Amino acid sequence: MVLRYVPVIALFASLSRAWDSPMPFAQSPATAVSQGAFANPAAAGFGEDTRGSLGWAGWDARPDARQRLWALEQQGPGWAGGFRYWEGAGPYLARFDLAGAWNALDLFTFGLRPAYVWDGQGPDHLLLDGGLDFRPWPQLLLGAWTENLATAGDERRTHRLAASLRPFAVYPGGWADLDVGYGFERQGPGKHRGYVFGEIPLFAGLRTEAQWDPGRGEGSLGVTLQLSGRMAAGIGAARGGGAPPGMRNRLGADLARRERADAAMEWRTAQKAPFLASDGAVAEIDLNRDIQEGETDEGWFQGKSLGFVDLMRRFDVLESDRHLRAVAVKLGSARCGWSMGEEIRDRLLRLRARGVRTVAYMEEVSPLNYYLATACGTIAMQPQGHFAVNGFAAEVMFYRGLFDKLGVEPQFLRHGKFKSFEEPYTRTSMSEPMRSDLQGFIASLWDNFLAESARARGLPKDSLRKALESPEIGLEHAVRAHLIDTLIYADQLAELAGGKGAHLDGNQPDRVARTTWDIPPQIAIVVVTGDMVVGSSARSWLTGPDLAGSETVAGQLRKARKDPSVKAVVLRVDSPGGSAQAADIMWREVELLKKAGKPVVASVGRDAASGGYYLICGADKILAAPNSVLGSIGVLWGKFVLKGLFDKLGLKSETVKTSPHADGTSMTRAWDSTETDALQRHMDKFYDDFITKVANGRHMPKARVDSLGQGRIFTGVQAAANGLADELGGLGDAISTARKLAGIGPRRDVEVVVFSAQGESSVLPIPGMGVSRARGAEGLAVGIKQETDRISALAKPDLWALDPELAGWNVSPLAGWE
């Protein structure tokens, strides 16, 4: 039996799916085109990025006529669509495909691809293709698919089976893309063909693909070049083959032993490494913006804010680029918490340690900006700036004198001698516990700042301290003291980083494309930010920070628990606490996650204090940045009595009640002794339950927890030393810890998904513009209601596990530090 061969141009297959393809090579633009929408509908259910491709093929259909094919494809997770148009010799033919696919058990992917065909010779009609992938190992893929499973035309049914192996897919580097396999095709009774195929990465973004039919001695060869992280292009040539089944005669495309040429381009959101080497390209990292926890809807290039998870993915892309030579970091005014700053700084240090030239450029200086800049090998500043990083200060505003003049009586109860919430309202100066707590806290911050900055700059710690604590702010002093290296303007940054003729390149992919065929396990990041309240979360746009609603947070934790794809959870917390009841509701969901066998790793952002620490105390592991804030284990209850103010304003109120304590929450009267005694007992009970939960979660004696409690706050360094945290680390470290606890091997890909519990803002950014617009009058009304509800939730008397010294809705005593 003579094996017939349908040639494959490695080119188009390589462009569309070669590196992270869910199916081995199938057809070229000249025949059935590509993988996802055109050759194997199951491909649509695989892969996390979006990509598109444009292909062309041309061949001599007859001695005196040429046939051409144009093909356009777009694909995303779970879907794919494409359009093909044949023209030239014979009647026209056009086809539109729309594919969908569904994963099962993380091993199988079923796909269906309905299509509509415009036939220049026969009637227009519908047809259906179907496919199945099986991925028993990350390196091995088995596939079966049928074209023309059902058709209203005269196309013949075609069955394909293929097996493909990527022996190095679980190893990093270019050779992970090596792909070899064997395919077998049946086109009807007595009509079979077999072929071997392979892809080999070469160098500098160049790859080659080939396919060979040993029975007929026919085959194809294609080469592609990765032009950038987002785009590739290539050309190919083939000899032999045929047109799509059932269309051969109409298209006049019997290619038996004839030559064909192909060309194609592909664009995508995920990086396909390696990059084309370019000595003049300097990767640009623009940190002159707000950096927020979680993801940012508008992505890296639009709007004034950036999600921290998006930024970490950007660093993953840079670290995977073996040809990266230089990075320029713009630090106009980076706005993020110190914990995020620590991790950004660590990623810069990793690039620097790998031999990448790193240059930081500042037009203004703040403690955080300079701390980030010290991670770079070279620090440059705008020549007419000034340098003033003299230390950290905690400033507290006391309102008692004002309240006395206004006739406002603050009435607060607390458990914890360091729980200094009420002191700005009840005192005119700091108590000794408050002063010692804050002094120890900022001293630890400053010591860590000096130690890490001195190490990165190659200076003695005492020398750096002396230079920074000097009152001199001139840039000449900064250069002489080796605090910075040079003075330049922004237009000189590219040349400083990359040499003469260099240019800044900010057009990098969003993430690294996978090179394995398996559907990876998921690690969920549940993002909790803001003051804790009972109810729903809200993203504030008028008066201050977010609200972390118990209903929203618990719902996201529950979602992660019930999702079989999620194998572990990273709880990313940036909260000073809030409602004690809300914290307890959230804590319960963490316990249920652990009972379900899913490890929970807490990653502390700027702070996890009071209720924020209550939430994470039962996590399997707690990681914090050196400058994170943890602790404040304590509880309080209070209200402001406004009767004196109302009297001064001529306001009078009267109350009718059914029982003596029915108006206990009223702001027109103070609590009596029976009420304060009852409230104190309730607080004492809650505090005892709080330290019991911490003791159980941290595996510490209860007395030890109490000694660390009483409202005291600690830096991440202090918390790691006293046991309130397990180790120092950022979000990336927490993800690595979570995968280890879940038993996911180091060479196995994982997919990080964000389950944000931050709520939605009623104002949306306009893409590409640094302004915002309301969603009409209704959206504005919703936003105002959210703000009103937020203020009301924080103002009502309640049992609070809150550290308002750190809460953004109050004047922070750490203003000098932030």
Side-chain angles (χ1 to χ4, degrees):
M1 180 185 301
V2 177
L3 292 176
R4 289 187 55 81
Y5 169 61
V6 176
V8 164
I9 280 297
L11 158 72
F12 202 89
S14 122
L15 284 175
S16 296
R17 308 289 177 263
W19 287 2
D20 54 350
S21 166
M23 282 302 299
F25 307 0
Q27 299 290 331
S28 75
T31 53
V33 182
S34 181
Q35 310 286 351
F38 303 138
N40 173 37
F46 189 87
E48 60 189 17
D49 66 312
T50 300
R51 77 286 301 274
S53 52
L54 176 64
W56 169 89
W59 64 93
D60 290 326
R62 297 191 300 269
D64 60 343
R66 293 277 297 173
Q67 184 76 33
R68 290 173 295 274
L69 167 64
W70 299 90
L72 177 67
E73 177 188 355
Q74 183 77 12
Q75 177 173 324
W79 64 273
F83 179 76
R84 286 173 281 175
Y85 179 68
W86 290 262
E87 52 90 15
Y92 79 88
L93 189 72
R95 171 172 169 163
F96 174 73
D97 300 84
L98 183 62
W102 301 267
N103 294 314
L105 304 176
D106 291 345
L107 293 174
F108 300 92
T109 300
F110 303 90
L112 291 174
R113 184 185 70 234
Y116 188 81
V117 177
W118 292 270
D119 196 324
Q121 180 170 305
D124 299 344
H125 59 278
L126 295 170
L127 56 83
L128 179 69
D129 303 331
L132 169 67
D133 297 337
F134 175 51
R135 299 174 297 277
W137 297 288
Q139 302 98 315
L140 176 65
L141 182 140
L142 306 174
W145 64 101
T146 299
E147 292 190 357
N148 310 318
L149 185 64
T151 177
D154 63 350
E155 294 91 352
R156 286 199 307 269
R157 186 174 295 175
T158 300
H159 306 282
R160 294 191 181 97
L161 297 172
S164 187
L165 180 68
R166 289 179 176 167
F168 305 110
V170 294
Y171 295 90
W175 281 99
D177 303 323
L178 178 65
D179 191 343
V180 293
Y182 179 79
F184 180 81
E185 181 176 323
R186 182 176 182 270
Q187 277 196 318
K191 295 183 178 181
H192 303 80
R193 65 175 59 90
Y195 49 89
V196 292
F197 53 85
E199 175 203 14
I200 300 175
L202 300 175
F203 56 88
L206 191 67
R207 310 189 306 279
T208 182
E209 286 193 23
Q211 183 164 315
W212 179 252
D213 176 2
R216 295 188 60 86
E218 298 175 348
S220 62
L221 177 67
V223 291
T224 62
L225 182 64
Q226 192 70 27
L227 301 176
S228 71
R230 294 177 181 268
M231 185 170 291
I235 57 174
R239 182 178 179 83
M247 302 178 185
R248 180 174 291 106
N249 294 332
R250 278 173 289 157
L251 292 173
D254 187 357
L255 303 181
R257 297 189 178 279
R258 292 181 182 171
E259 295 181 353
R260 187 184 72 244
D262 295 66
M265 293 188 66
E266 185 208 29
W267 56 94
R268 61 188 298 155
T269 58
Q271 175 195 339
K272 297 172 76 176
F275 286 112
L276 173 64
S278 174
D279 293 335
V282 176
E284 178 186 10
I285 302 177
D286 186 0
L287 298 179
N288 184 24
R289 61 185 73 195
D290 290 314
I291 303 173
Q292 303 173 346
E293 294 288 358
E295 295 176 312
T296 306
D297 293 337
E298 61 267 27
W300 176 267
F301 296 102
Q302 297 162 341
K304 284 192 172 182
S305 63
L306 171 67
F308 184 55
V309 173
D310 297 331
L311 180 57
M312 291 300 102
R313 288 173 178 150
R314 172 72 187 276
F315 275 110
D316 290 339
V317 170
L318 294 176
E319 289 180 9
S320 69
D321 180 6
R322 294 168 297 158
H323 301 287
L324 182 66
R325 297 292 179 266
V327 170
V329 184
K330 291 184 176 180
L331 290 166
S333 180
R335 297 174 293 278
C336 65
W338 276 84
S339 60
M340 286 190 281
E342 289 276 3
E343 190 154 5
I344 295 169
R345 189 174 183 276
D346 286 343
R347 300 302 290 265
L348 291 171
L349 286 170
R350 280 160 57 173
L351 288 171
R352 180 178 170 185
R354 206 186 74 187
V356 175
R357 178 172 170 77
T358 53
V359 178
Y361 179 71
M362 298 184 294
E363 291 182 341
E364 56 183 293
V365 179
S366 69
L368 178 58
N369 269 12
Y370 184 67
Y371 191 61
L372 291 172
T374 59
C376 297
T378 302
I379 302 177
M381 278 198 68
Q382 199 272 345
Q384 294 304 318
H386 67 278
F387 193 100
V389 179
N390 307 117
F392 297 152
E395 182 175 351
V396 181
M397 181 70 72
F398 290 87
Y399 305 96
R400 182 56 190 265
L402 174 64
F403 288 161
D404 288 343
K405 292 179 179 179
L406 293 176
V408 175
E409 180 187 354
Q411 191 173 20
F412 288 96
L413 304 172
R414 69 181 181 181
H415 190 121
K417 65 180 181 179
F418 293 96
K419 198 72 175 177
S420 54
F421 163 75
E422 84 287 353
E423 291 196 15
Y425 312 116
T426 60
R427 296 174 58 92
T428 58
S429 62
M430 290 185 190
S431 68
E432 186 53 38
M434 181 182 188
R435 182 178 297 278
S436 64
D437 198 28
L438 286 177
Q439 185 63 52
F441 178 77
I442 63 173
S444 176
L445 293 177
W446 182 234
D447 186 71
N448 181 73
F449 179 95
L450 291 172
E452 295 300 320
S453 299
R455 182 180 298 111
R457 293 294 294 166
L459 296 172
K461 182 179 175 181
D462 289 340
S463 174
L464 180 65
R465 181 197 299 273
K466 182 179 179 181
L468 290 177
E469 293 181 354
S470 167
E472 178 61 56
I473 64 171
L475 294 185
E476 297 81 2
H477 164 74
V479 173
R480 285 196 306 271
H482 303 292
L483 301 178
I484 61 176
D485 297 294
T486 187
L487 304 177
I488 63 170
Y489 289 95
D491 60 280
Q492 299 172 294
L493 177 58
E495 184 173 339
L496 177 63
K500 190 173 183 179
H503 64 277
L504 297 180
D505 179 15
N507 184 30
Q508 300 293 344
D510 298 327
R511 64 182 73 205
V512 178
R514 295 200 308 268
T515 58
T516 58
W517 277 314
D518 62 331
I519 297 177
Q522 292 182 347
I523 293 178
I525 302 177
V526 179
V527 180
V528 182
T529 62
D531 307 326
M532 294 177 169
V533 296
V534 175
S536 300
S537 296
R539 305 191 81 168
S540 178
W541 58 274
L542 182 62
T543 63
D546 299 344
L547 287 184
S550 58
E551 181 180 327
T552 307
V553 174
Q556 293 293 64
L557 292 170
R558 195 177 305 118
K559 175 185 174 184
R561 170 164 53 92
K562 294 182 177 180
D563 188 338
S565 299
V566 174
K567 307 304 179 184
V569 172
V570 172
L571 190 54
R572 178 71 173 182
V573 177
D574 182 1
S575 173
S579 165
Q581 181 184 0
D584 193 57
I585 292 171
M586 301 174 196
W587 170 87
R588 172 62 179 171
E589 287 298 330
V590 174
E591 294 300 299
L592 293 177
L593 266 168
K594 294 194 300 179
K595 288 182 179 180
K598 297 190 177 185
V600 180
V601 178
S603 174
V604 181
R606 176 174 174 263
D607 57 273
S610 206
Y613 190 77
Y614 190 111
L615 168 61
I616 68 172
C617 69
D620 294 291
K621 293 287 184 181
I622 298 176
L623 278 69
N627 288 338
S628 294
V629 184
L630 292 85
S632 191
I633 299 171
V635 65
L636 56 96
W637 197 312
K639 67 176 182 177
F640 292 95
V641 180
L642 305 181
K643 184 178 184 305
L645 176 61
F646 291 163
D647 289 343
K648 291 178 183 292
L649 296 175
L651 298 174
K652 182 178 180 181
S653 67
E654 293 187 1
T655 302
V656 177
K657 55 187 179 181
T658 61
S659 55
H661 308 296
D663 60 343
T665 60
S666 172
M667 291 188 292
T668 61
R669 76 167 181 88
W671 287 314
D672 61 31
S673 60
T674 61
E675 289 169 331
T676 56
D677 289 345
L679 291 174
Q680 189 67 53
R681 287 194 299 272
H682 182 67
M683 284 194 303
D684 293 344
K685 181 179 180 301
F686 182 87
Y687 178 80
D688 186 73
D689 187 53
F690 192 167
I691 63 174
T692 299
K693 286 182 168 69
V694 174
N696 292 336
R698 295 278 76 210
H699 308 292
M700 297 169 61
K702 190 173 175 180
R704 170 64 175 163
V705 175
D706 186 39
S707 69
L708 296 172
Q710 302 292 328
R712 295 178 63 188
I713 59 174
F714 302 97
T715 65
V717 173
Q718 293 169 324
N722 64 33
L724 293 183
D726 291 289
E727 56 188 86
L728 298 176
L731 181 60
D733 299 308
I735 293 171
S736 297
T737 301
R739 68 179 293 160
K740 290 176 184 177
L741 293 178
I744 303 172
R747 290 177 180 166
R748 181 88 186 273
D749 282 341
V750 295
E751 183 180 2
V752 176
V753 294
V754 177
F755 289 3
S756 176
Q758 296 169 284
E760 294 185 359
S761 174
S762 59
V763 172
L764 293 177
I766 299 177
M769 299 178 64
V771 297
S772 295
R773 61 176 174 84
R775 294 174 175 161
E778 180 182 356
L780 183 60
V782 171
I784 293 174
K785 184 179 184 302
Q786 287 179 348
E787 296 302 327
T788 303
D789 292 344
R790 176 180 179 279
I791 295 170
S792 175
L794 293 172
K796 69 179 182 179
D798 199 353
L799 181 62
W800 294 99
L802 175 69
D803 196 328
E805 295 96 338
L806 305 174
W809 58 272
N810 186 29
V811 177
S812 171
L814 300 179
W817 161 55
E818 293 179 314

